[in-house]
């Protein structure tokens, strides 16, 4: 590819409302369907769909709503969520399997297994959480698609 020539890039972005369990999953479904449509291999699409779904649900349940984006190019699928919610006081603790602060309402709908962040991490090649209590959380997870 010559200098200055644009690579193939797709960006999908959705804003996510806090506590909207009816629409929840719509953004991650859009990301999954787009990856399928452009011919991303099933195993990579599956990993990206898990990351997107769990990250989207965390915006709904914990983050006070926010924004989810998927940035797709020839090298990677990057999923980024940003919110201005309560933040995560102890990220290492939040990453432990089974740890949850989900409220009764979320639990009554089957959420709050405390497996979301561990599953995101497991399915990512690059994973980072940047969180500040009282300010919000940014999560970045990327899958290498060149391998
Ligand atoms: N965007 C977020 N904002 C604030 N806290 C979060 C966010 N995402 C995750 N957390 C915290 O990390 C914990 C673990 O998240 P996760 O592994 O997805 O489990 P679950 O969603 O089932 O609680 C949550 O219970 C919550 O305390
Ligand atoms: Mg979760």
């Amino acid at each position: 590819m010559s200098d200055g020539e644009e690579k193939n890039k797709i960006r999908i972005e959705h804003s996510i409302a806090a506590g909207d369990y009816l629409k929840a999953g719509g953004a991650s479904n859009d990301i999954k369907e787009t990856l399928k449509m452009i011919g991303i291999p099933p195993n990579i699409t599956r990993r990206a769909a898990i990351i997107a779904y769990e990250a989207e649900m965390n915006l709904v349940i914990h983050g006070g709503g926010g924004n989810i984006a998927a940035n797709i190019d020839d090298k990677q699928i990057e999923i980024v969520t940003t919110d201005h919610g309560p933040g995560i006081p102890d990220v290492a603790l939040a990453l432990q399997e089974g740890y949850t602060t989900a409220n009764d309402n979320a639990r009554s709908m089957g959420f709050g297994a405390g497996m979301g962040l561990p599953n995101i991490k497991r399915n990512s090649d690059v994973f980072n959480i940047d969180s500040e209590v009282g300010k919000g959380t940014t999560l970045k997870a990327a899958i290498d698609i060149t391998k």
Side-chain angles (χ1 to χ4, degrees), residues 7 94 108 110 121:
K7 285 193 181 130
S108 74
K121 191 174 181 191

Side-chain angles (χ1 to χ4, degrees), residues 54 58 62 116:
E54 294 295 349
N58 281 351
H62 309 291

Side-chain angles (χ1 to χ4, degrees), residues 110-123:
F111 298 106
M115 292 304 291
L117 292 179
N119 274 329
I120 293 172
K121 191 174 181 191
R122 187 175 303 127
N123 283 288

